Amino acid sequence: MTAHFLIRHNLQFRYDAPVGGSVTTLHVSPVRGRRQVLHDISIRTDPPGAIFEFTGPFGNRGHFFDRHGRHRRLAIRVRSSVEVAPPAPLPAELAPDSWEALRKDVATPDHWLMLQPSRFVRMSPSLARFVSRNRIGQAADLLTTIRQLRSTLYSAFEYAPGSTVVDSPIEHILEAGRGVCQDYAHVMASILRSWGVPTRYASGYLGPDGNDDQHSQSHAWVEPWLPGFGWRGFDPANDCDCDERHIRVAVGRDYADVPPVRGTFRGNANSTLQTEVSVTRQEPDPNDS
């Protein structure tokens, strides 16, 4: 069933001394696509000024702005309305020749790039030990392999907000056993790529099941390539196939390609970032055609 969401994403940089100007890049706009309809988005900043839209190297829609003049605070308020349809259902498993079909599919540049190590998605001695300790391996078909890996990571780790930071390497979650959605996604993508499965990192939001607000940080999951089905989403932090609750904003090799916000400033100051995300599931307006 198609789901309608209202997303409020507020960010605020505070500086402990006045800065002479700041430059900011955002990835906060839900994508427009076959399953996802973006009805409206507004981005406001304080200090105010012009905001420019751009398309990034992975086809993502981003926003950019600079703010001249001295300020000790930069507030960004994003409000978007989006409609998400569920993906076509996947079978319980793929054909026994799915691994061979995958090898025939991975000859394109897009697939090749999503097979390469990146800043946060890579094999390491810690990850190799984790794979061995948990007896993680490939099943007879590709889809079963992906789902088994997703469930293993869900069971192996504790979801603990604040246990890692945005630039934490995968060793942190592997050693502590605690992390957040982007850590789960980085580990899952690292293992799948090592097996020859092109895998994208996806960022966005997770909508609630009911009509209540869901207060959280931005969400992340993985999108491996499945022969005959294309890029399909799997959420290891929730142990599920992605559905209409998963509101996609951007895809990349890992978090470093598509952070919700990236900024720099001129001046001798320290900065802190406060973030608040609210996702509300709404009933569709019966008067809308």
Side-chain angles (χ1 to χ4, degrees):
M1 180 178 179
T2 299
H4 299 247
F5 298 103
L6 175 65
I7 304 164
R8 297 180 178 92
H9 193 161
N10 297 327
L11 307 105
Q12 183 168 251
F13 288 99
R14 287 189 177 274
Y15 312 102
D16 61 5
V19 300
S22 57
V23 178
T24 306
T25 301
L26 300 172
H27 285 105
V28 293
S29 175
V31 300
R32 297 180 174 98
R34 182 172 53 85
R35 288 199 307 110
Q36 201 166 276
V37 178
L38 179 62
H39 291 294
D40 179 65
I41 182 168
S42 65
I43 303 175
R44 298 181 179 180
T45 69
D46 182 16
I51 299 173
F52 305 95
E53 184 177 319
F54 68 91
T55 301
F58 298 98
N60 299 310
R61 181 190 187 201
H63 292 86
F64 164 87
F65 61 88
D66 58 359
R67 295 294 176 260
H68 302 291
R70 292 167 65 82
H71 54 275
R72 296 190 62 156
R73 169 181 168 273
L74 171 63
I76 305 164
R77 296 179 178 85
V78 185
R79 184 184 185 278
S80 56
S81 175
V82 65
E83 179 181 346
V84 187
L90 290 170
E93 58 186 28
L94 298 185
D97 64 350
S98 56
W99 285 103
E100 180 60 30
L102 176 68
R103 285 189 283 271
K104 294 178 180 178
D105 276 357
V106 298
T108 70
D110 286 346
H111 292 146
W112 181 88
L113 187 62
M114 295 304 170
L115 283 168
Q116 306 309 307
S118 57
R119 179 178 175 183
F120 296 115
V121 174
R122 53 180 173 75
M123 287 301 294
S124 70
S126 294
L127 184 53
R129 289 191 295 269
F130 173 83
V131 168
S132 176
R133 184 169 63 249
N134 289 275
R135 299 181 179 180
I136 297 172
Q138 301 177 36
D141 81 278
L142 176 58
L143 183 54
T144 299
T145 297
I146 292 170
R147 285 174 170 155
Q148 287 180 351
L149 174 59
R150 182 197 68 202
S151 297
T152 297
L153 299 185
Y154 177 79
S155 299
F157 300 137
E158 175 189 353
Y159 189 86
S163 57
T164 58
V165 295
V166 295
D167 58 352
S168 292
I170 59 174
E171 283 75 18
H172 284 205
I173 189 173
L174 295 171
E175 294 166 5
R178 305 167 74 237
V180 294
C181 55
Q182 69 191 38
D183 303 306
Y184 286 68
H186 286 153
V187 173
M188 187 166 177
S190 297
I191 296 172
L192 288 175
R193 288 185 195 173
S194 76
W195 290 340
V197 183
T199 306
R200 307 192 301 196
Y201 174 95
S203 70
Y205 304 99
L206 181 65
D209 289 322
N211 294 327
D212 296 331
D213 285 359
Q214 175 170 300
H215 295 274
S216 67
Q217 298 295 317
S218 300
H219 198 53
W221 56 92
V222 298
E223 293 183 351
W225 177 265
L226 297 181
F229 295 94
W231 301 105
R232 297 300 296 261
F234 298 87
D235 184 350
N238 290 288
D239 195 18
C240 65
D241 293 4
C242 290
D243 54 28
E244 68 275 9
R245 296 172 301 154
H246 292 78
I247 307 160
R248 186 151 66 89
V249 168
V251 296
R253 295 166 297 180
D254 58 29
Y255 173 87
D257 286 334
V258 288
V261 60
R262 177 181 284 132
T264 186
F265 59 87
R266 296 186 295 275
N268 185 17
N270 297 309
S271 67
T272 58
L273 173 64
Q274 295 178 320
T275 303
E276 180 181 328
V277 175
S278 172
V279 183
T280 306
R281 190 160 184 162
Q282 301 180 306
E283 293 298 327
D285 187 342
N287 296 319
D288 288 346
S289 56

